[in-house]
Amino acid sequence: MKTKQRIAPSSFKLYGVFGFPLKHTFSPAMHQAAFDKLGIPCFYLALELDPKNFRQVMTQKKKLLLEGFNLTVPHKQIVKPYLDSLTFEARAIGAVNTVIRKGKLWIGENTDAYGFLKSLEEVHWKSKGKTVLIFGAGGASRAVIYALCRSGARRIVLLNRTVSKARALAKYFTKFFPKTRFEVRPFEKQVIGKTLREVDIVVNTTSVGLKRADSPLVLNGDFPRAKGNRLAVDLIYNPSETPFLRSAKRAGWKTVNGLGMLLHQGARSFELWTGKKAPVDIMRKALHGCMSRISL
Ligand code: ATR
C-alpha cells in the first residue's frame, strides 16, 4: 500500500467487501493492488459482518463512509431492501455483489455474470447454441444461468440436491429467456453420467469440492471422452483443481476454475466505482500471489 505515505488521510476513499465468514477473501489484495497501481487514494477492506447485524449496518451505511462495496455470501440476496435502485442485471439475477454510491443514492449491481463470461472468453468459449449442465441452484447458479442465457445457450439442464430449488430457478429464468429450454433432472449418479454425455459445457456452482473430504460430484469415468471441444467449469478456485475438474481434464475436456470469474467480476466493480479501466493484469497477479501464499 504505497499510497499510504503519500496522501493525506482526509483524501482517502474507502471500499470493502461484506461477507461472513470472510477469513480467506482475496478481494482486498486484488482491489488494493488496482488502486495502488493507478495511484487512486483508496483503501479496500474485508468487512466481516454477521448476518444478524446486517440490517443495522445497512441502514446506517452512510456512517461507514464507504464509497461503494462488494457483497459476498450470505449477503448478496438480502441487500435489496436497503438500496435505492437495482440495475436490470441485478434484478434479473436476484442478487447484488456490487454497490455503487451516486451522491445520496446507493445502487445495486451484479458483476458476477460479466465475470463468468469473461472467464469463458479467456479460453475462447462461445455458448451460443450450446447445451449446458449446471450443478447447483443457489446464488452463484443464478448468475451463471443468466450469463449463459444472455450469450445464447440453447438448452440448460439443472441438477440440484434439492430438486424444488432447481425447478423454481428454471421457472423464473424461463420468463426472462423464453428461447432457452430448461430441464430439471434428479441429482442421481446415473442421471449425472447420462447428462454429461449430452452436453457441451458443464458448470459446478455448488460447494462440493471445496473440502478434501467431500465425496466427488462426478465419478471417474462419468465424463465422456472429448477432444478439447467440451468445457468443464468449476466456480471453486481454492483448490485450483477440484476432483471434478481433474476428472474432466483426464477425459480431454477443457477446464476453467473460478479464479477468472473472481478477477473479472472484481475488475468490473472497480471500473464502476472509479470510472477507470481496471488494471486486470495487476489484479490477476495479486490473485496468483494469494493462491501461492495459501498453498505454501
Ligand atoms: P452460493 O451462493 O455459493 O450458490 P448457496 O446459495 O448456499 O451458495 O448454494 C449452494 C449450492 O450448493 C446449492 O445448490 C446446494 O444444494 P441445495 O440447494 O440442495 O442445498 C449445493 N450444495 C451444497 N452442498 C452440497 C452437497 N454436499 N451436495 C450437493 N449439493 C450441495
Side-chain angles (χ1 to χ4, degrees):
M1 287 188 265
K2 281 175 256 156
T3 44
K4 204 172 172 180
Q5 289 87 32
R6 281 193 268 120
I7 294 150
S10 60
S11 64
F12 268 83
K13 288 182 176 168
L14 294 178
Y15 293 87
V17 55
F18 288 105
F20 189 83
L22 208 51
K23 292 199 176 49
H24 304 293
T25 177
F26 291 176
S27 291
M30 170 172 70
H31 282 287
Q32 198 61 56
F35 284 128
D36 290 353
K37 173 69 185 174
L38 300 195
I40 303 173
C42 292
F43 282 124
Y44 186 101
L45 311 167
L47 301 160
E48 190 165 78
L49 177 60
D50 192 310
K52 67 175 188 279
N53 300 324
F54 189 75
R55 185 178 174 278
Q56 190 192 358
V57 170
M58 283 301 128
T59 49
Q60 298 186 30
K61 53 191 171 311
K62 230 170 102 183
K63 291 192 191 156
L64 294 168
L65 303 174
L66 290 168
E67 293 298 317
F69 52 91
N70 287 128
L71 294 150
T72 187
V73 178
H75 304 315
K76 286 183 187 188
Q77 280 159 277
I78 58 168
V79 72
K80 282 180 274 181
Y82 308 103
L83 301 174
D84 296 298
S85 68
L86 297 182
T87 63
F88 174 80
E89 202 134 316
R91 213 168 327 116
I93 294 169
V96 170
N97 79 323
T98 304
V99 175
I100 306 140
R101 186 177 186 170
K102 287 225 167 103
K104 286 185 180 164
L105 301 179
W106 297 84
I107 296 151
E109 170 63 292
N110 189 306
T111 68
D112 285 332
Y114 169 91
F116 177 75
L117 288 180
K118 275 289 200 189
S119 76
L120 300 197
E121 247 176 52
E122 288 187 341
V123 293
H124 312 292
W125 181 263
K126 293 207 168 49
S127 301
K128 194 166 169 50
K130 298 282 176 17
T131 297
V132 185
L133 165 58
I134 297 175
F135 286 105
S141 173
R142 299 179 74 95
V144 167
I145 295 172
Y146 178 88
L148 290 167
C149 289
R150 277 298 296 264
S151 49
R154 187 175 65 85
R155 185 158 77 97
I156 295 183
V157 182
L158 294 176
L159 286 185
N160 193 50
R161 186 177 56 179
T162 312
V163 179
S164 58
K165 283 208 226 161
R167 282 209 196 97
L169 271 197
K171 194 171 166 202
Y172 175 83
F173 279 105
T174 300
K175 274 192 232 148
F176 277 96
F177 300 104
K179 285 190 188 151
T180 305
R181 226 177 83 209
F182 284 90
E183 211 181 307
V184 175
R185 295 187 181 174
F187 195 90
E188 289 164 8
K189 291 295 168 197
Q190 297 92 319
V191 176
I192 292 172
K194 178 182 175 297
T195 309
L196 280 172
R197 289 193 289 280
E198 297 172 20
V199 302
D200 305 293
I201 165 171
V202 53
V203 186
N204 175 34
T205 73
T206 76
S207 47
V208 180
L210 265 177
K211 297 191 205 106
R212 267 175 203 271
D214 286 343
S215 53
L217 195 60
V218 169
L219 297 175
N220 267 334
D222 272 351
F223 278 102
R225 295 292 318 160
K227 288 186 187 136
N229 53 344
R230 292 177 169 198
L231 178 67
V233 185
D234 201 325
L235 299 195
I236 295 172
Y237 51 85
N238 177 24
S240 59
E241 189 176 74
T242 54
F244 169 77
L245 285 190
R246 213 171 303 131
S247 303
K249 197 190 256 179
R250 259 193 234 121
W253 291 51
K254 273 191 200 189
T255 58
V256 167
N257 72 14
L259 206 65
M261 179 175 175
L262 176 68
L263 168 67
H264 290 291
Q265 63 76 33
R268 184 78 191 123
S269 299
F270 183 90
E271 290 176 352
L272 290 169
W273 290 328
T274 63
K276 298 193 187 318
K277 194 165 164 32
V280 173
D281 290 341
I282 296 294
M283 296 171 89
R284 192 191 307 271
K285 208 169 144 198
L287 289 179
H288 285 305
C290 294
M291 284 302 293
S292 53
R293 276 194 293 281
I294 55 165
S295 58
L296 282 178

